[in-house]
Amino acid sequence: SQELEQSPQSLIVQEGKNLTINCTSSKTLYGLYWYKQKYGEGLIFLMMLQKGGEEKSHEKITAKLDEKKQQSSLHITASQPSHAGIYLCGADMEYGNKLVFGAGTILRVKS
Amino acid sequence: DVKVTQSSRYLVKRTGEKVFLECVQDMDHENMFWYRQDPGLGLRLIYFSYDVKMKEKGDIPEGYSVSREKKERFSLILESASTNQTSMYLCASSLWALAGGPGELFFGEGSRLTVL
């Protein structure tokens, strides 16, 4: 969706390096969801952010929602081959019951 | 464990054929969704349903219809398949969130449809 822009589109990092993926909305975000997808499979939920300034972590992945609630970043520390996949952000922009998704970021981790 | 099951992982159909994609969830979720996923475009919402026999158009409903006769089952129908409907189709479900918003979506494995 052009309402939700992800950057970069793709990323290749050396194992052990840190990386950041950004998700920028053209509208206020009432909820921001991060998902990971292995090629050809369904999406796995990573985490959800709702409040401006909120930050959540799971293992080596940290996500933040900025104060103005229009941008989120996903940061991976000390990347591993298991982190490889497609990362998608999904947003609730209308305080409704559907999500709009970004185009995704393809992450490859070189050993 | 939470499960969303899509009936077919891979389908190959001919232009003009009627195609049914079935999705079943075992979590008693109110909301169910159909998305299609294409390279560079991400996931685009086709239709969603927040209750039995209820349906709402998403962003790209043209050429598709849906059916929700039972809470656990949400079907996507392509009345007359066309080559531009070749895509990965993903079904998802979620609980109705009292606080608003769709809540965490649980996705199926996807159905890759090729229309020749």
Side-chain angles (χ1 to χ4, degrees):
Chain A
S1 165
Q2 292 181 345
E3 295 175 301
L4 210 56
E5 296 282 344
Q6 275 188 247
S7 63
Q9 286 185 318
S10 65
L11 196 53
I12 303 173
V13 298
Q14 191 69 40
E15 183 177 358
K17 296 294 186 184
N18 302 337
L19 63 109
T20 300
I21 298 168
N22 293 303
C23 178
T24 302
S25 171
S26 59
K27 300 179 180 179
T28 297
L29 300 171
Y30 293 98
L32 192 288
Y33 301 72
W34 283 101
Y35 285 84
K36 180 186 174 185
Q37 183 183 31
K38 292 283 191 184
Y39 181 75
E41 298 181 6
L43 280 66
I44 304 298
F45 174 77
L46 293 175
M47 53 193 87
M48 178 184 77
L49 305 163
Q50 286 190 301
K51 300 175 185 176
E54 188 173 10
E55 180 176 322
K56 287 187 178 177
S57 293
H58 177 67
E59 297 180 343
K60 293 186 177 180
I61 301 176
T62 301
K64 300 178 186 179
L65 184 61
D66 84 347
E67 289 289 340
K68 295 181 181 178
K69 295 176 65 175
Q70 285 191 282
Q71 185 174 49
S72 178
S73 60
L74 184 85
H75 185 77
I76 299 177
T77 304
S79 58
Q80 300 168 357
S82 60
H83 288 128
I86 303 170
Y87 289 81
L88 295 109
C89 62
D92 174 13
M93 295 178 176
E94 301 174 0
Y95 208 62
N97 56 356
K98 64 176 185 177
L99 288 185
V100 172
F101 282 88
T105 296
I106 301 170
L107 171 64
R108 295 186 178 90
V109 180
K110 294 194 297 184
S111 301
Chain B
D1 239 6
V2 158
K3 201 156 176 80
V4 177
T5 304
Q6 293 184 230
S7 55
S8 306
R9 288 296 305 273
Y10 301 95
L11 301 96
V12 179
K13 298 291 182 181
R14 295 200 178 277
T15 301
E17 279 192 79
K18 191 168 185 175
V19 182
F20 291 89
L21 298 178
E22 302 282 340
C23 176
V24 177
Q25 50 96 1
D26 65 359
M27 299 162 283
D28 203 35
H29 284 172
E30 290 85 3
N31 301 324
M32 295 189 76
F33 307 82
W34 275 107
Y35 288 88
R36 63 176 283 177
Q37 183 178 27
D38 301 286
L41 297 176
L43 274 70
R44 292 179 291 167
L45 183 63
I46 305 170
Y47 268 97
F48 66 102
S49 167
Y50 51 86
D51 201 354
V52 176
K53 296 192 186 293
M54 305 298 288
K55 60 185 179 184
E56 293 281 342
K57 291 182 180 179
D59 300 316
I60 52 163
E62 297 77 19
Y64 302 94
S65 62
V66 290
S67 171
R68 191 155 181 214
E69 296 296 319
K70 293 185 178 181
K71 191 176 186 180
E72 67 270 18
R73 189 179 296 269
F74 192 36
S75 303
L76 181 70
I77 303 152
L78 288 67
E79 293 289 342
S80 178
S82 62
T83 55
N84 63 13
Q85 291 178 311
T86 292
S87 187
M88 169 74 107
Y89 290 88
L90 290 162
C91 174
S93 71
S94 73
L95 271 173
W96 184 265
L98 290 173
E104 177 187 343
L105 267 62
F106 293 85
F107 282 85
E109 292 287 298
S111 298
R112 185 167 293 280
L113 171 66
T114 302
V115 183
L116 302 174

